[in-house]
């Protein structure tokens, strides 16, 4: 059974129970008041039309009625009437007696000059002896009896009690009030059911439809709800789950695409040296290298290609371990100035053979300690320098190293005066196997993994790496390392 049906049955049951309780209460009140089983209509008639007086007033009225039947002339005795009026005044009622069109006695309790003019005409059959009358804004309930005096003159005796205007209006409007109360209960239940349906059922329906979309593999939708209640919090959590699931699927698709690209790149970069090695070996086997000089040349080429292949496999293996966070970092305090001095000394003679000058540009005078893994930091610097030397196109080739300091970070800049990088290629140079030239050949050297490995290592140190370049002018590779004194302070 759906929640909507359950709510409908619940509110219908509440409405029926409320009406039954109302009717039962009215019936019990009627039975308690009358001593008999009467309906609401009978109770209303009995207590507001048949018995408009209190019990004491009714007792005095019955005595006066007895006198009018047996000794009607006594109702002209002023002393007797005054005694009865006194009894009525103690219960806040009054007495009125008339003969034909003349007033015999009127109680001072009423204080109503227009009373006589508003009394009903004679009804010697006494078909209606109890009723109410309205004079201006005042209401009176009365019991009266019409009779004849001994001389045949018509007479009337009234026991009158003033009623509250509010009570009398309520008495007259009681049927309308009852119907209005029932209508309010019905309308309130309908509105409450509609409100609950709109605030609970509809959001749950939307949530169900959203779950069906996800089950069908469709995540291209938005669950836009702004309520602050528990249903709104549930929908907000569901929407966050959808977004994360969508991001996870997109990431998985991207990883799948990257995996395919990686396999393609590995195949391409491995095929070239393997093809070369295969070609030279076939040349040796076919007797092309028929002299010692040619044989030495072929063997040296095969050896060089094997070294390149070994280096490519080594870099690919290192990058994969870095990407999977499987390479531990052994951090220590390193003097970055002395470290760069060692790197420059190590690479200076190798680069001089290629007519490349490697030197300091900005060197702080005092030692500066950073927190770093010495072996991996050296791999980063050598990768950047190695990448820079592959793209030198000027007669005077220079690579300069600078260090800039801040209270928390050390920034290392390695700048060359090579051919520069196209601005559109700069965001991609730290991607694996990326080369700026469209041909994707290895004419300029390198595996396409050097800067990707450098990026992984610097990120592992908690720093950042970025490139700045201008075509025809040169390229600057920058990376940051945390200063050792900041580490100790933390």
């Amino acid at each position: 059974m759906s929640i909507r049906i359950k709510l409908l049955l619940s509110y219908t049951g509440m409405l029926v129970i409320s009406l039954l309780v109302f009717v039962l209460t009215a019936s019990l009140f009627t039975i308690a008041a009358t001593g008999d089983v009467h309906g609401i209509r009978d109770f209303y008639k009995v207590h507001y039309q048949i018995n408009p007086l209190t019990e004491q007033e009714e007792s005095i009225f019955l005595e006066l009625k007895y006198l009018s039947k047996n000794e009607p002339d006594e109702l002209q005795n002023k002393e007797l009437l005054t005694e009865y009026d006194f009894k009525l005044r103690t219960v806040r009622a009054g007495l009125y007696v008339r003969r034909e069109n003349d007033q015999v006695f009127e109680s001072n309790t009423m204080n109503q000059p227009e009373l006589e003019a508003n009394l009903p005409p004679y009804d010697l059959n006494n078909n209606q002896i109890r009723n109410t009358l309205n004079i201006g804004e005042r209401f009176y309930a009365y019991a009266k009896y019409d009779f004849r005096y001994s001389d045949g003159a018509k007479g009337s005796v009234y026991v009158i009690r003033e009623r509250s205007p509010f009570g009398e209006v309520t008495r007259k409007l009681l049927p309308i009030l009852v119907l209005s109360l029932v209508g309010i209960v019905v309308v309130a239940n309908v509105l409450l059911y509609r409100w609950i349906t709109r605030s609970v059922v509809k959001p749950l329906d939307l949530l169900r439809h959203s779950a069906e979309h996800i089950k069908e593999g469709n995540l291209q939708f938005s669950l836009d709800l702004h309520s602050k209640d528990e249903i709104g919090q549930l929908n907000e959590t569901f929407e966050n789950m959808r977004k994360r699931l969508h991001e996870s699927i997109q990431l998985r698709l991207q990883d799948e695409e990257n995996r395919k690209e990686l396999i393609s790149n590995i195949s391409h970069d491995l095929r070239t040296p393997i093809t070369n090695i295969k070609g030279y070996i076939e040349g040796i086997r076919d007797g092309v290298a028929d002299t010692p000089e040619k044989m030495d040349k072929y063997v040296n080429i095969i050896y060089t290609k094997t070294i390149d292949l070994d280096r490519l496999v080594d870099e690919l293996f290192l990058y994969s371990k870095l990407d999977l966070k499987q390479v531990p970092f052994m951090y220590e305090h390193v003097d970055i100035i002395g470290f760069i001095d060692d790197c420059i000394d190590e690479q200076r003679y190798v680069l001089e053979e290629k007519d490349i000058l490697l030197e300091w540009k900005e060197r702080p005078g005092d030692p500066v300690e950073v927190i770093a893994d010495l072996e991996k930091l050296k791999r980063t610097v050598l990768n950047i320098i190695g990448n820079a030397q592959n793209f030198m196109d000027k007669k005077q080739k220079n690579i300069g190293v600078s260090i800039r300091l801040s209270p928390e970070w050390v920034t290392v800049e390695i700048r060359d005066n090579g051919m520069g990088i196209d601005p559109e290629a700069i965001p991609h140079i730290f991607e694996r196997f990326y080369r700026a030239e469209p041909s994707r050949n290895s004419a300029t050297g390198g595996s396409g993994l050097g800067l990707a490995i450098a990026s992984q290592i610097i990120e592992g140190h908690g720093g950042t790496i970025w490139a700045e370049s201008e075509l025809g002018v040169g390229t600057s590779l920058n990376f940051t390392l945390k200063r050792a004194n900041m580490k100790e302070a933390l």
Side-chain angles (χ1 to χ4, degrees):
M1 184 182 294
S2 67
I3 295 180
R4 189 188 300 272
I5 298 299
K6 289 181 180 179
L7 287 175
L8 180 60
L9 292 178
S10 299
Y11 285 111
T12 302
M14 290 174 59
L15 176 61
V16 172
I17 291 173
S18 299
L19 294 177
L20 287 177
V21 170
F22 178 78
V23 173
L24 181 61
T25 303
S27 300
L28 292 176
F29 185 74
T30 301
I31 295 172
T34 63
D36 197 0
V37 179
H38 296 282
I40 299 298
R41 181 178 177 183
D42 294 335
F43 170 77
Y44 172 78
K45 181 178 180 181
V46 168
H47 287 275
Y48 284 95
Q49 294 184 2
I50 298 180
N51 293 314
L53 305 180
T54 65
E55 183 177 351
Q56 293 174 310
E57 294 165 354
E58 189 69 23
S59 176
I60 295 173
F61 172 71
L62 292 177
E63 292 181 15
L64 292 171
K65 180 180 178 181
Y66 178 81
L67 285 176
S68 65
K69 289 182 178 180
N70 298 289
E71 299 179 35
D73 291 338
E74 286 295 316
L75 293 178
Q76 297 183 91
N77 185 341
K78 296 293 182 69
E79 293 182 0
L80 179 63
L81 295 176
T82 300
E83 291 179 5
Y84 278 111
D85 181 56
F86 179 77
K87 294 179 182 179
L88 290 172
R89 277 190 292 174
T90 59
V91 292
R92 304 183 66 179
L95 176 65
Y96 185 89
V97 181
R98 69 179 175 178
R99 175 187 171 92
E100 294 293 344
N101 296 323
D102 299 326
Q103 172 186 303
V104 177
F105 183 87
E106 180 180 3
S107 173
N108 293 328
T109 305
M110 261 80 76
N111 191 24
Q112 177 56 259
E114 300 179 7
L115 179 62
E116 182 178 355
N118 287 274
L119 291 176
Y122 286 99
D123 176 20
L124 295 177
N125 293 323
N126 290 302
N127 293 319
Q128 186 175 8
I129 64 174
R130 292 174 175 83
N131 207 339
T132 59
L133 56 89
N134 173 226
I135 304 175
E137 297 181 355
R138 301 172 70 179
F139 295 86
Y140 299 89
Y142 66 85
K144 63 104 175 178
Y145 188 77
D146 294 331
F147 61 92
R148 287 188 182 275
Y149 289 96
S150 59
D151 58 3
K154 293 184 291 186
S156 300
V157 58
Y158 290 84
V159 175
I160 304 174
R161 178 182 182 85
E162 185 172 3
R163 288 195 174 275
S164 166
F166 177 77
E168 188 63 20
V169 170
T170 303
R171 180 186 72 83
K172 290 184 176 181
L173 298 179
L174 183 60
I176 298 176
L177 293 175
V178 171
L179 293 177
S180 299
L181 178 61
V182 173
I184 290 173
V185 172
V186 173
V187 171
N189 277 272
V190 171
L191 293 178
L192 186 59
Y193 168 75
R194 183 177 177 82
W195 176 70
I196 291 295
T197 300
R198 291 174 62 90
S199 60
V200 176
V201 178
K202 286 189 175 180
L204 289 179
D205 281 341
L206 182 59
L207 191 61
R208 178 175 59 83
H209 290 311
S210 300
E212 290 176 353
H213 285 310
I214 293 178
K215 182 179 69 174
E216 295 170 358
N218 176 22
L219 295 172
Q220 301 294 331
F221 66 90
S222 177
L223 195 61
D224 190 14
L225 293 172
H226 303 287
S227 59
K228 301 299 182 181
D229 56 9
E230 289 79 1
I231 299 295
Q233 294 172 3
L234 174 62
N235 286 322
E236 183 178 356
T237 303
F238 187 89
E239 174 65 8
N240 291 334
M241 181 191 70
R242 182 198 66 80
K243 289 180 179 178
R244 292 193 177 186
L245 184 59
H246 183 260
E247 292 172 358
S248 176
I249 291 177
Q250 294 299 316
L251 183 60
R252 189 184 68 182
L253 294 175
Q254 183 63 42
D255 287 343
E256 181 66 19
E257 188 67 25
N258 291 342
R259 185 185 66 82
K260 294 178 181 179
E261 182 182 357
L262 178 61
I263 293 174
S264 175
N265 291 335
I266 291 174
S267 301
H268 177 276
D269 284 274
L270 290 177
R271 185 182 296 114
T272 301
I274 290 175
T275 301
N276 291 333
I277 292 172
K278 180 181 177 182
Y280 283 106
I281 290 176
E282 288 178 350
I284 293 174
R285 188 181 63 182
D286 294 340
V288 176
D290 53 359
T291 65
E293 292 80 7
K294 285 186 177 181
M295 180 63 71
D296 289 340
K297 179 180 178 182
Y298 276 37
V299 170
N300 288 334
I301 292 175
I302 292 173
Y303 178 73
T304 302
K305 295 298 181 183
T306 304
I307 292 176
D308 292 342
L309 185 60
D310 182 65
R311 184 171 61 252
L312 174 61
V313 172
D314 179 62
E315 290 187 344
L316 179 61
F317 181 66
L318 175 61
Y319 177 82
S320 298
K321 293 182 68 175
L322 288 169
D323 194 36
L324 295 173
K325 312 298 182 185
Q326 295 179 350
V327 177
F329 282 75
M330 308 299 293
Y331 296 108
E332 57 182 302
H333 289 199
V334 177
D335 176 16
I336 191 66
I337 308 300
F339 169 77
I340 297 296
D341 283 337
D342 293 340
C343 291
I344 290 176
D345 290 340
E346 180 180 334
Q347 292 292 310
R348 177 178 288 118
Y349 299 106
V350 176
L351 294 177
E352 284 179 353
E353 294 179 356
K354 301 179 181 180
D355 297 326
I356 299 175
L357 177 62
L358 176 62
E359 60 181 352
W360 278 101
K361 292 296 185 183
E362 296 181 27
R363 183 184 187 279
D366 298 326
V368 179
E369 288 193 342
V370 297
I371 301 297
D373 183 315
L374 188 59
E375 180 183 352
K376 295 180 179 62
L377 182 59
K378 184 175 181 180
R379 183 68 174 263
T380 299
V381 173
L382 295 182
N383 281 2
I384 294 175
I385 293 174
N387 184 78
Q389 67 177 328
N390 292 330
F391 297 94
M392 293 293 188
D393 62 344
K394 297 180 177 61
K395 184 176 181 180
Q396 183 66 39
K397 303 177 180 68
N398 296 315
I399 298 177
V401 181
S402 301
I403 288 182
R404 295 186 296 275
L405 304 178
S406 70
E408 185 175 358
W409 299 95
V410 172
T411 302
V412 179
E413 178 187 24
I414 300 176
R415 176 181 292 275
D416 64 64
N417 64 341
M419 63 181 66
I421 304 173
D422 191 299
E424 295 181 358
I426 291 178
H428 306 286
I429 64 173
F430 296 105
E431 297 176 4
R432 56 195 175 191
F433 292 106
Y434 183 81
R435 295 190 186 93
E437 59 269 20
S439 61
R440 286 200 44 81
N441 59 52
S442 300
T444 57
S447 63
L449 287 172
L451 293 183
I453 291 174
S455 176
Q456 291 277 17
I457 292 174
I458 295 301
E459 288 177 2
H461 281 76
T464 56
I465 185 169
W466 70 96
E468 299 172 352
S469 183
E470 183 178 352
L471 285 174
V473 177
T475 301
S476 171
L477 267 297
N478 305 266
F479 62 87
T480 59
L481 296 170
K482 185 168 291 188
R483 297 186 66 167
N485 59 339
M486 295 302 300
K487 182 74 174 181
E488 292 172 354
L490 293 175

